Amino acid sequence: MSSSKEHSWPAGSTRATPLTSPSARLRDWQGPPEWQEMDYPSISAAAPVFSRRIADRVRELFADGGTFVPVDLPGKPEGAYELYVAEQVVDCLDHEQSSEPRMPLDEIERAVFRPEALPLHLPAFRVPGSAWSVHWNGWAADLLCDLIGRDNLELRLVWSTDPEAKPHRDPMGF
């Protein structure tokens, strides 16, 4: 299994990626200010944002797989939200059975993993050739659902060793 930060995006990359981000991100609130604050206000699979409440609950468990970066929102207390950057890029795809990455974000529509190469100890990881997408291991996804609530977090099965499990037809499409 290959798993290291050296497989991250190149420093000179012209693509906007979470790993080329500064230590804090300034974002706009997308929606009316009166909308209920959420524990998971993310719209990007590549950049999961959590409320401080959730980040504090998972920080230690998720530490081996990435880092938390503050997201500063106008009108919100400093540190109210944090971006989780899944930094580990792991070569665990079965390239013969997986689909080719599709443009513009190099999303892999049908991912098939090599079970012996999966980084099950990590909460989330990226794969070479499609480093924009974040793949979550079941234990981490279940934990987030328990903390955030299944009504506020959509899980899509990408792949399973269980032959009865049916992967989502477009797990990275939104």
Side-chain angles (χ1 to χ4, degrees):
M1 170 173 49
S2 167
S3 173
S4 72
K5 292 181 185 178
E6 67 190 25
H7 291 108
S8 305
W9 299 275
S13 175
T14 58
R15 252 170 121 164
T17 65
L19 293 184
T20 60
S21 65
S23 60
R25 310 248 334 173
L26 179 63
R27 303 297 302 176
D28 296 324
W29 184 255
Q30 302 291 316
E34 68 272 8
W35 276 5
Q36 173 184 344
E37 292 190 23
M38 301 182 334
D39 285 322
Y40 184 74
S42 297
I43 60 169
S44 170
V49 174
F50 301 108
S51 68
R52 158 123 341 155
R53 180 184 82 82
I54 299 299
D56 286 347
R57 297 279 304 272
V58 301
R59 189 179 316 280
E60 189 174 313
L61 289 169
F62 289 10
D64 286 344
T67 56
F68 284 90
V69 177
V71 177
D72 297 322
L73 293 169
K76 304 290 179 198
E78 185 175 322
Y81 290 95
E82 296 184 43
L83 165 71
Y84 180 69
V85 180
E87 296 172 331
Q88 301 298 320
V89 178
V90 182
D91 185 9
C92 56
L93 273 182
D94 179 332
H95 296 282
E96 297 293 318
Q97 295 185 52
S98 297
S99 62
E100 291 293 321
R102 68 179 180 200
M103 298 304 286
L105 298 177
D106 294 329
E107 295 168 333
I108 296 173
E109 189 172 330
R110 182 174 186 270
V112 177
F113 295 98
R114 294 178 289 117
E116 74 281 0
L118 279 170
L120 298 176
H121 66 289
L122 298 175
F125 60 94
R126 300 169 191 273
V127 295
S130 181
W132 187 254
S133 299
V134 175
H135 298 276
W136 291 87
N137 277 313
W139 67 265
D142 289 341
L143 173 61
L144 290 171
C145 272
D146 289 345
L147 295 172
I148 295 170
R150 295 205 181 263
D151 289 343
N152 296 315
L153 183 65
E154 180 182 1
L155 297 183
R156 294 180 176 187
L157 182 64
V158 173
W159 178 84
S160 175
T161 56
D162 179 356
E164 300 296 314
K166 185 165 175 66
H168 191 278
R169 63 179 173 73
D170 190 12
M172 296 299 174
F174 290 95

